[in-house]
Amino acid sequence: QVHLVESGGGLVQAGGSLRLSCAASTHTFSDYGLAWFRQAPGKEREFVAAIGRRGVFTNYADSVKERFIISRDNAKNMVYLQMDSLKPEDTAMYYCGARLYISDYPEYDYWGQGTQVTVSS
């Protein structure tokens, strides 16, 4: 079992930055690939970024490349999403997910409760 808790969301103006954090409660954190997804009202959950077990491999949605950076700290059981140059279309609930092998489909075994990001124009 992996319990995930996201934090760091909030209201920010366009062009601003936020750093999301996801804390995992598990003794086997480094066994899991991790990802961030987001879901806006009335839309499906969409892939944002993923990171492999050792933090070497990363993958990003085209819409966030050059603006977002995913990272992890296996010693602290944490995964982060640094979001820069935010746009109103980035507004959504952001979720952290964990599974053995990363995927850009929302088929993760464990999810957090989400943290809201709102970007004003």
mmCIF file of all heavy atoms in Angstrom, residues 61-82:
data_model
loop_
_atom_site.group_PDB
_atom_site.id
_atom_site.type_symbol
_atom_site.label_atom_id
_atom_site.label_comp_id
_atom_site.label_asym_id
_atom_site.label_seq_id
_atom_site.Cartn_x
_atom_site.Cartn_y
_atom_site.Cartn_z
ATOM 1 N N ALA A 61 4.202 15.848 -20.801
ATOM 2 C CA ALA A 61 3.216 16.191 -21.820
ATOM 3 C C ALA A 61 3.758 17.371 -22.625
ATOM 4 O O ALA A 61 4.454 18.235 -22.090
ATOM 5 C CB ALA A 61 1.888 16.555 -21.175
ATOM 6 N N ASP A 62 3.434 17.394 -23.899
ATOM 7 C CA ASP A 62 3.924 18.476 -24.765
ATOM 8 C C ASP A 62 3.508 19.845 -24.232
ATOM 9 O O ASP A 62 4.249 20.816 -24.359
ATOM 10 C CB ASP A 62 3.394 18.292 -26.183
ATOM 11 C CG ASP A 62 4.054 17.134 -26.912
ATOM 12 O OD1 ASP A 62 5.135 16.683 -26.457
ATOM 13 O OD2 ASP A 62 3.496 16.667 -27.914
ATOM 14 N N SER A 63 2.336 19.908 -23.621
ATOM 15 C CA SER A 63 1.792 21.187 -23.165
ATOM 16 C C SER A 63 2.576 21.793 -22.003
ATOM 17 O O SER A 63 2.424 22.985 -21.716
ATOM 18 C CB SER A 63 0.330 21.023 -22.765
ATOM 19 O OG SER A 63 0.211 20.070 -21.720
ATOM 20 N N VAL A 64 3.400 20.985 -21.330
ATOM 21 C CA VAL A 64 4.134 21.511 -20.173
ATOM 22 C C VAL A 64 5.643 21.459 -20.344
ATOM 23 O O VAL A 64 6.379 21.931 -19.461
ATOM 24 C CB VAL A 64 3.735 20.765 -18.874
ATOM 25 C CG1 VAL A 64 2.223 20.793 -18.693
ATOM 26 C CG2 VAL A 64 4.257 19.343 -18.857
ATOM 27 N N LYS A 65 6.112 20.889 -21.447
ATOM 28 C CA LYS A 65 7.560 20.845 -21.677
ATOM 29 C C LYS A 65 8.140 22.254 -21.661
ATOM 30 O O LYS A 65 7.506 23.193 -22.139
ATOM 31 C CB LYS A 65 7.848 20.164 -23.013
ATOM 32 C CG LYS A 65 7.726 18.655 -22.978
ATOM 33 C CD LYS A 65 8.036 18.047 -24.343
ATOM 34 C CE LYS A 65 7.904 16.536 -24.308
ATOM 35 N NZ LYS A 65 8.121 15.926 -25.644
ATOM 36 N N GLU A 66 9.335 22.363 -21.164
ATOM 37 C CA GLU A 66 10.039 23.649 -21.052
ATOM 38 C C GLU A 66 9.494 24.521 -19.914
ATOM 39 O O GLU A 66 10.091 25.556 -19.605
ATOM 40 C CB GLU A 66 9.980 24.462 -22.361
ATOM 41 C CG GLU A 66 10.340 23.697 -23.607
ATOM 42 C CD GLU A 66 11.808 23.359 -23.688
ATOM 43 O OE1 GLU A 66 12.617 24.111 -23.096
ATOM 44 O OE2 GLU A 66 12.157 22.357 -24.333
ATOM 45 N N ARG A 67 8.387 24.126 -19.281
ATOM 46 C CA ARG A 67 7.808 24.944 -18.200
ATOM 47 C C ARG A 67 7.767 24.201 -16.861
ATOM 48 O O ARG A 67 7.895 24.830 -15.809
ATOM 49 C CB ARG A 67 6.386 25.392 -18.565
ATOM 50 C CG ARG A 67 6.301 26.217 -19.829
ATOM 51 C CD ARG A 67 4.910 26.817 -20.008
ATOM 52 N NE ARG A 67 3.868 25.805 -20.155
ATOM 53 C CZ ARG A 67 2.825 25.696 -19.337
ATOM 54 N NH1 ARG A 67 2.668 26.533 -18.337
ATOM 55 N NH2 ARG A 67 1.899 24.765 -19.557
ATOM 56 N N PHE A 68 7.543 22.896 -16.897
ATOM 57 C CA PHE A 68 7.418 22.104 -15.673
ATOM 58 C C PHE A 68 8.613 21.169 -15.541
ATOM 59 O O PHE A 68 9.147 20.683 -16.548
ATOM 60 C CB PHE A 68 6.143 21.257 -15.708
ATOM 61 C CG PHE A 68 4.855 22.022 -15.616
ATOM 62 C CD1 PHE A 68 4.804 23.398 -15.693
ATOM 63 C CD2 PHE A 68 3.662 21.323 -15.451
ATOM 64 C CE1 PHE A 68 3.613 24.098 -15.621
ATOM 65 C CE2 PHE A 68 2.446 21.995 -15.360
ATOM 66 C CZ PHE A 68 2.423 23.381 -15.460
ATOM 67 N N ILE A 69 8.985 20.896 -14.299
ATOM 68 C CA ILE A 69 10.044 19.924 -14.024
ATOM 69 C C ILE A 69 9.595 19.004 -12.903
ATOM 70 O O ILE A 69 9.197 19.467 -11.835
ATOM 71 C CB ILE A 69 11.360 20.622 -13.621
ATOM 72 C CG1 ILE A 69 11.887 21.486 -14.765
ATOM 73 C CG2 ILE A 69 12.412 19.578 -13.231
ATOM 74 C CD1 ILE A 69 13.114 22.292 -14.404
ATOM 75 N N ILE A 70 9.663 17.697 -13.159
ATOM 76 C CA ILE A 70 9.343 16.706 -12.137
ATOM 77 C C ILE A 70 10.650 16.207 -11.535
ATOM 78 O O ILE A 70 11.653 16.034 -12.240
ATOM 79 C CB ILE A 70 8.513 15.539 -12.722
ATOM 80 C CG1 ILE A 70 8.034 14.611 -11.611
ATOM 81 C CG2 ILE A 70 9.284 14.783 -13.794
ATOM 82 C CD1 ILE A 70 7.031 13.554 -12.082
ATOM 83 N N SER A 71 10.631 15.983 -10.228
ATOM 84 C CA SER A 71 11.810 15.455 -9.550
ATOM 85 C C SER A 71 11.354 14.617 -8.361
ATOM 86 O O SER A 71 10.182 14.678 -7.963
ATOM 87 C CB SER A 71 12.731 16.586 -9.081
ATOM 88 O OG SER A 71 12.065 17.430 -8.165
ATOM 89 N N ARG A 72 12.270 13.834 -7.812
ATOM 90 C CA ARG A 72 11.936 13.014 -6.665
ATOM 91 C C ARG A 72 13.122 12.946 -5.728
ATOM 92 O O ARG A 72 14.275 13.075 -6.157
ATOM 93 C CB ARG A 72 11.482 11.609 -7.080
ATOM 94 C CG ARG A 72 12.550 10.773 -7.741
ATOM 95 C CD ARG A 72 11.971 9.467 -8.282
ATOM 96 N NE ARG A 72 11.530 8.573 -7.225
ATOM 97 C CZ ARG A 72 10.754 7.491 -7.424
ATOM 98 N NH1 ARG A 72 10.352 7.202 -8.647
ATOM 99 N NH2 ARG A 72 10.397 6.722 -6.413
ATOM 100 N N ASP A 73 12.821 12.695 -4.462
ATOM 101 C CA ASP A 73 13.843 12.509 -3.439
ATOM 102 C C ASP A 73 13.519 11.198 -2.740
ATOM 103 O O ASP A 73 12.633 11.149 -1.883
ATOM 104 C CB ASP A 73 13.838 13.684 -2.464
ATOM 105 C CG ASP A 73 14.972 13.619 -1.464
ATOM 106 O OD1 ASP A 73 15.478 12.503 -1.202
ATOM 107 O OD2 ASP A 73 15.344 14.668 -0.921
ATOM 108 N N ASN A 74 14.220 10.141 -3.120
ATOM 109 C CA ASN A 74 13.911 8.818 -2.558
ATOM 110 C C ASN A 74 14.250 8.726 -1.072
ATOM 111 O O ASN A 74 13.685 7.901 -0.364
ATOM 112 C CB ASN A 74 14.646 7.744 -3.342
ATOM 113 C CG ASN A 74 13.999 7.482 -4.696
ATOM 114 O OD1 ASN A 74 12.905 7.962 -4.978
ATOM 115 N ND2 ASN A 74 14.687 6.728 -5.544
ATOM 116 N N ALA A 75 15.149 9.553 -0.600
ATOM 117 C CA ALA A 75 15.489 9.540 0.820
ATOM 118 C C ALA A 75 14.371 10.131 1.675
ATOM 119 O O ALA A 75 14.231 9.797 2.859
ATOM 120 C CB ALA A 75 16.784 10.308 1.060
ATOM 121 N N LYS A 76 13.569 11.002 1.062
ATOM 122 C CA LYS A 76 12.492 11.666 1.796
ATOM 123 C C LYS A 76 11.104 11.181 1.387
ATOM 124 O O LYS A 76 10.103 11.688 1.898
ATOM 125 C CB LYS A 76 12.576 13.181 1.570
ATOM 126 C CG LYS A 76 13.834 13.817 2.126
ATOM 127 C CD LYS A 76 13.822 15.322 1.904
ATOM 128 C CE LYS A 76 15.053 15.979 2.503
ATOM 129 N NZ LYS A 76 15.052 17.452 2.297
ATOM 130 N N ASN A 77 11.049 10.224 0.455
ATOM 131 C CA ASN A 77 9.749 9.731 -0.037
ATOM 132 C C ASN A 77 8.906 10.862 -0.615
ATOM 133 O O ASN A 77 7.700 10.963 -0.329
ATOM 134 C CB ASN A 77 8.972 9.017 1.073
ATOM 135 C CG ASN A 77 9.476 7.618 1.337
ATOM 136 O OD1 ASN A 77 10.598 7.266 0.953
ATOM 137 N ND2 ASN A 77 8.683 6.810 2.003
ATOM 138 N N MET A 78 9.539 11.706 -1.407
ATOM 139 C CA MET A 78 8.851 12.870 -1.946
ATOM 140 C C MET A 78 9.001 12.937 -3.465
ATOM 141 O O MET A 78 10.040 12.561 -4.027
ATOM 142 C CB MET A 78 9.412 14.164 -1.355
ATOM 143 C CG MET A 78 9.246 14.324 0.134
ATOM 144 S SD MET A 78 7.526 14.617 0.631
ATOM 145 C CE MET A 78 7.200 16.196 -0.136
ATOM 146 N N VAL A 79 7.968 13.444 -4.116
ATOM 147 C CA VAL A 79 8.039 13.783 -5.527
ATOM 148 C C VAL A 79 7.523 15.209 -5.683
ATOM 149 O O VAL A 79 6.619 15.624 -4.949
ATOM 150 C CB VAL A 79 7.253 12.793 -6.409
ATOM 151 C CG1 VAL A 79 5.793 12.759 -6.042
ATOM 152 C CG2 VAL A 79 7.456 13.090 -7.880
ATOM 153 N N TYR A 80 8.135 15.937 -6.601
ATOM 154 C CA TYR A 80 7.829 17.347 -6.753
ATOM 155 C C TYR A 80 7.469 17.680 -8.203
ATOM 156 O O TYR A 80 7.865 16.973 -9.129
ATOM 157 C CB TYR A 80 9.045 18.196 -6.352
ATOM 158 C CG TYR A 80 9.577 17.905 -4.980
ATOM 159 C CD1 TYR A 80 10.692 17.078 -4.810
ATOM 160 C CD2 TYR A 80 8.978 18.445 -3.848
ATOM 161 C CE1 TYR A 80 11.191 16.798 -3.552
ATOM 162 C CE2 TYR A 80 9.480 18.163 -2.580
ATOM 163 C CZ TYR A 80 10.574 17.341 -2.445
ATOM 164 O OH TYR A 80 11.055 17.069 -1.189
ATOM 165 N N LEU A 81 6.746 18.775 -8.357
ATOM 166 C CA LEU A 81 6.481 19.304 -9.685
ATOM 167 C C LEU A 81 6.683 20.813 -9.622
ATOM 168 O O LEU A 81 5.870 21.516 -9.022
ATOM 169 C CB LEU A 81 5.062 18.981 -10.160
ATOM 170 C CG LEU A 81 4.757 19.393 -11.602
ATOM 171 C CD1 LEU A 81 5.562 18.538 -12.577
ATOM 172 C CD2 LEU A 81 3.267 19.266 -11.898
ATOM 173 N N GLN A 82 7.779 21.271 -10.197
ATOM 174 C CA GLN A 82 8.040 22.707 -10.291
ATOM 175 C C GLN A 82 7.354 23.223 -11.544
ATOM 176 O O GLN A 82 7.640 22.750 -12.648
ATOM 177 C CB GLN A 82 9.546 22.968 -10.370
ATOM 178 C CG GLN A 82 9.914 24.436 -10.528
ATOM 179 C CD GLN A 82 9.528 25.284 -9.334
ATOM 180 O OE1 GLN A 82 9.727 24.871 -8.197
ATOM 181 N NE2 GLN A 82 8.982 26.462 -9.597
#
